Structure formats: C-alpha cells, structure tokens
Amino acid sequence: MIYFLIFRKIRRCITLSILEQLVTSFIASAAFGLIFNVPKRTLVHCGVVGMIGWFIYISCTELSLDTIPATLIAAFIVTVVSQLFSKLYKTPIIVFSVSGIIPLVPGGLAYDAMRNVVEDNYDIAVQLAVKAFMLSGAIAIGLIFSEVVNQLIRKTER
C-alpha cells in the first residue's frame, strides 16, 4: 500500500512537471514570435510548435535516449509541424520554425561553458562547449533533414 502511494505521488509530480515545462515552452516560443514580429494571428501557433517540439524532446529523454538524438528528432518534428502550419495558414515556414526551435537551443549550456572559461575551468568548459556545439548541429541537421524529406515527397507527387 505504501509503495502504491509513493508511486502515485511520484507520478503526479512528473505529470505536473511536464505540464509546467509544456506551458513554459509555449510561452517562450510565443514570446520569441512576438520579438521577431510574426503576424499576431500566428502567435498561438508558434507557441504550439515550440510546445510540441519540447514534448517530443522530453518524451525521448524519458525513454533513455541521449539528448543529441532527442534534439535531432524534436527539431525534425518541429519542422514537419511548421510545414503543416505553413500550408494551412498560408504563411512562410520560417515564422513557425524559428520560434518553435527556441526551446531546444542550448543557450544555458553555452552560458555555462563561457562561465567556466572565465573561471579558468577549461576542462569543463571544453566539454560543455562541445555538447552545446553537438546540440546545435543536431538542430540544424533536423531542420535540413525534414526539408529534404519534404522536397522528396513533393517531387514524387508530381
């Protein structure tokens, strides 16, 4: 009985944590859309794209996938959803993809790398910088890979 109560409490905490992260990623993505002057009618959609990308990232990391492949998969999905929204709302894809990719950008990791450089902890700084570089590369590859798949699908439809 005690195990059931503990499991139930842990499950509730995880669910609440994920819900908080989804709301935060929605706000961050919509706020970046606001900064980049996207059309106001697309702000909610920008937030939804960012929230979906973060949900995919969290789900992949919960399934014990490393952060780099999780970021790659999330960036791929963000671009796919951005392409769908682009066609649906007749808006350029960059409106959705730039703001949707914001929660995946490793800004905190890059900050920690630079902070360790300043504090003369070069070993830690190099490790963090390489990880930030790898995550940034995974985002770029995910964006490009999704666009290539989209182009191939379009060519086969013609």
Side-chain angles (χ1 to χ4, degrees), residues 7 11 14-15 21-22 32 37 42 45 51 56 67 69 74 87 89 91 95 103 108 113 129 132 139 145 148 153 157:
F7 175 74
R11 185 173 170 202
I14 289 173
T15 305
Q21 289 185 32
L22 291 179
F32 264 84
N37 289 328
T42 61
H45 305 103
M51 189 173 67
I56 297 295
T67 56
K87 284 186 177 184
Y89 298 109
T91 307
V95 168
I139 291 171
F145 185 63
V148 167
I153 291 172
E157 288 178 352

Side-chain angles (χ1 to χ4, degrees), residues 13-79:
C13 289
I14 289 173
T15 305
L16 191 60
S17 172
I18 289 174
L19 186 64
E20 290 170 351
Q21 289 185 32
L22 291 179
V23 169
T24 306
S25 64
F26 177 87
I27 292 170
S29 297
F32 264 84
L34 198 62
I35 289 172
F36 291 127
N37 289 328
V38 300
K40 288 183 181 176
R41 63 182 169 86
T42 61
L43 278 176
V44 173
H45 305 103
C46 292
V48 169
V49 171
M51 189 173 67
I52 290 171
W54 190 249
F55 178 73
I56 297 295
Y57 175 80
I58 290 173
S59 299
C60 289
T61 54
E62 289 291 324
L63 294 172
S64 301
L65 201 62
D66 190 40
T67 56
I68 295 171
T71 303
L72 177 73
I73 293 168
F76 182 82
I77 298 297
V78 162
T79 309

